[in-house]
Every structure is written in structure tokens, then in C-alpha cells.
Amino acid sequence: MTILEMQKEILRLKKQRNILVLAHSYQRREVVEVADYTGDSYALARYVQNATAENVVMCGVRFMAETVKILSPEKKVYLSHAEAGCPMAEQLDPELLISLKQQYPSAAVAAYINTTAELKTLCDVCVTSSSAERILSKLPQKEILFIPDINLGRYIESKLPEKKFHFIQGGCPTHVRATAQDVARMRELYPDALFLVHPECRFEVVQKADYVGSTSGIMDYAKQSAATEFIIGTDNSIAEHLQYECPQKKFYPLSKDLVCHNMKLTTLPDVLNCCTGEGEEITLSEEVRFAAKQCIDRMIELGG
């Protein structure tokens, strides 16, 4: 089958079997084109809550599919590729988090949404890269134990000097590849370009940005800006998607190494297989689902 033929078959099966296909923004272009909705992990999960589809195919990584199941337990949720995990979400285990909570008993435990469902059961509140500052500023606790991304945590710490933060040495192995030297090199090559960066990058990279934001924030900023050239400091697929959507503008990846290999595991044939019923169904015990949902509900309450 050609790409077009496969995409047409996926669209046919979606309609026939009442399937909703979600794609994270880091997915391949041909996958994004067959998705019903594309966005950040939290936006994907929230979108499902108002959807009528009985079956959901998550083209992303495991914690994203878990978040969909947490918020929409009545739906069957399938992960597009069984090996697509998030190294950052898997860097911390419950036993270590329990010991950290004992070490910092006065701290509120804030979980970046890039965490497993099991870890979320032990946290007070969940945050996204776009909502973390707003949510954590509203917590009554003066101390925050922020897991697992130290880079996002340090960025939020710089915005909330009234809070005392505690971190672990966790982070995104994709975003951490970007360096200050990469920024200097690209600034020299494209002096008129604005530098847009995700806060999962190293703090010394984030400090040099013209705009810091989530994946969706970066894309919205680039689309709405009057500027015509941009250096993109997140997964290189974002530069590609923006070039399709804004052909009159120029987009330059900060580094050729900014590629999430777990996201790229999902192929169009994987999506087709899921639509025929071959994908891995995500299941959570009601005990875990209910406990994990508490910190997400707290996020919605504080951050909207």
C-alpha cells in the first residue's frame, strides 16, 4: 500500500469502528494527517472526555495513553506502539518518591504530567509545562518537591522565588541534547530568527530564548507572530509541521539531535493495525486510576 492508500483505509476504519485517533505533536506528518486531534499530552486527554467514540488510538507514548484512560475510563484506549515509552516518566519509581516525600515532609509533591499513572497516585498536583507556574503559585505550601524534570523545574523556580523547590536529577533525554553552543551557532547563521524553546531544555538554553512555552505554545506563537524566521528548540517534528502550516515562513531546528525516538516508533502501519484491533489496550485498576485522577483534578481546579 502507498501512504495515501493506507491513510484512506485508516479513515474508513475509523468511521466503521467508531475510532478516535489522537496524535501528539511530535508524531510523523503522515500520522498527524489521519488524526482527529493533534496537540500536547494533556490537551489530547481532555479532548477525549467530550468525544463520543468508543475506541481511542493514542499515537504517542505510554503515559499519554494512561492519562486518557484515567480521564475516560469508559473508553477502550489503545497505544499505537507497545514499546513507545517516555524515558523521563520512567526515571523515578514509587519507592524512591515515597522516600523523597519522607525527606521533605512539608513539601507539596508536584508531578509533571510526563509521569506514570503509578507515580501520579503519590502526588498532590499534576502540572503541564504551560500551567506549572500558575498552578504552583496557588499552592499554600512554601516548599515544592517537583518531579521528574529538573530543567522544567528550574525554569519554574526562576519564576516563583517565593517558593523553595526540591528536585531529582531527572529530565527529557531529547531536550537535554540542546546546548548553549547550539543556540550561539544558530543565532549566527540566522540572526533575524526568533528563538522559541521548550522549558524541558537546559536552563542555560531556555535563558537565551525569545519565547519559552509548551509545544502548542511554540506552534501558536510562530503562527501568530509577524516574524518570518524561527529557530525551534524542541523536537524537530515541530519545525516540520510548522513549515507545512506556514509555508511563507522559515523554521530551523535548533539541533539535528532533537528527535524523540520513542515518538518516532509509531508508524502509519501501526495506526492501521490499531484500527483493525491489533493494538495494545491500556488497562488500569480502578484503585490506581482513581488515585492518579486526584492530582489531575487538582490541576484542573487550580489551572483550568
Side-chain angles (χ1 to χ4, degrees):
M1 299 175 75
T2 65
I3 289 176
L4 181 58
E5 289 170 341
M6 194 169 292
Q7 287 176 321
K8 287 181 176 179
E9 179 61 8
I10 290 169
L11 295 176
R12 185 189 71 79
L13 287 169
K14 282 180 14 178
K15 185 175 181 180
Q16 180 188 79
R17 305 186 64 176
N18 195 18
I19 297 170
L20 179 73
V21 174
L22 304 175
H24 189 271
S25 301
Y26 294 165
Q27 288 295 314
R28 303 168 188 269
R29 188 68 192 177
E30 62 268 26
V31 171
V32 167
E33 287 177 350
V34 297
D36 297 284
Y37 185 78
T38 301
D40 292 339
S41 55
Y42 176 61
L44 294 170
R46 290 284 280 169
Y47 182 85
V48 177
Q49 288 185 291
N50 297 317
T52 58
E54 300 171 358
N55 305 290
V56 180
V57 174
M58 168 56 80
C59 302
V61 296
R62 185 168 296 276
F63 85 81
M64 298 176 184
E66 288 181 343
T67 305
V68 170
K69 189 65 177 178
I70 289 168
L71 293 180
S72 300
E74 76 285 359
K75 293 179 169 61
K76 289 189 175 182
V77 181
Y78 299 90
L79 180 60
S80 56
H81 195 296
E83 296 300 315
C86 174
M88 175 163 58
E90 298 160 3
Q91 286 169 347
L92 180 64
D93 59 39
E95 291 72 23
L96 179 54
L97 181 52
I98 289 171
S99 70
L100 288 169
K101 290 177 68 171
Q102 293 170 347
Q103 186 177 348
Y104 305 110
S106 300
V109 183
Y112 189 22
I113 198 165
N114 295 41
T115 46
T116 64
E118 195 174 14
L119 283 176
K120 287 184 176 74
T121 66
L122 299 169
C123 299
D124 297 304
V125 67
C126 194
V127 299
T128 65
S129 56
S130 60
S131 68
E133 179 185 351
R134 181 169 66 255
I135 289 171
L136 298 185
S137 69
K138 295 179 181 178
L139 292 180
Q141 294 92 337
K142 297 300 183 184
E143 291 185 60
I144 308 291
L145 173 58
F146 190 89
I147 64 164
D149 186 5
I150 191 171
N151 293 315
L152 174 60
R154 290 204 188 285
Y155 173 70
I156 302 303
E157 181 184 40
S158 72
K159 300 291 185 179
L160 300 174
E162 70 277 15
K163 302 282 188 181
K164 182 178 181 180
F165 280 75
H166 306 286
F167 305 110
I168 64 166
Q169 289 298 322
C172 173
T174 297
H175 285 92
V176 79
R177 296 184 193 122
T179 66
Q181 289 73 28
D182 290 325
V183 180
R185 179 177 59 84
M186 294 300 287
R187 289 279 202 192
E188 185 175 355
L189 285 172
Y190 307 106
D192 296 327
L194 295 181
F195 176 38
L196 317 183
V197 71
H198 196 288
E200 287 179 22
C201 287
R202 301 171 190 263
F203 192 51
E204 60 265 30
V205 172
V206 171
Q207 287 178 303
K208 299 178 183 300
D210 297 295
Y211 172 82
V212 182
S214 66
T215 304
S216 294
I218 288 172
M219 296 186 77
D220 289 342
Y221 186 95
K223 292 174 186 177
Q224 296 166 12
S225 173
T228 58
E229 292 185 84
F230 304 88
I231 300 164
I232 304 299
T234 189
D235 187 277
N236 290 347
S237 58
I238 299 305
E240 179 187 2
H241 296 327
L242 283 169
Q243 197 64 76
Y244 276 106
E245 295 176 31
C246 305
Q248 75 281 9
K249 297 183 178 184
K250 298 293 183 183
F251 300 94
Y252 314 112
L254 175 61
S255 166
K256 61 182 176 62
D257 295 322
L258 281 174
V259 177
C260 177
H261 301 296
N262 279 273
M263 284 289 187
K264 299 304 183 289
L265 283 175
T266 294
T267 64
L268 200 62
D270 289 328
V271 182
L272 178 60
N273 289 338
C274 277
C275 289
T276 60
E278 295 182 19
E280 178 193 359
E281 183 178 355
I282 298 296
T283 59
L284 297 171
S285 71
E286 185 58 20
E287 180 183 8
V288 168
R289 190 198 71 81
F290 180 79
K293 187 173 181 291
Q294 302 311 299
C295 73
I296 298 177
D297 288 342
R298 183 72 168 149
M299 173 176 68
I300 296 170
E301 175 191 344
L302 295 176

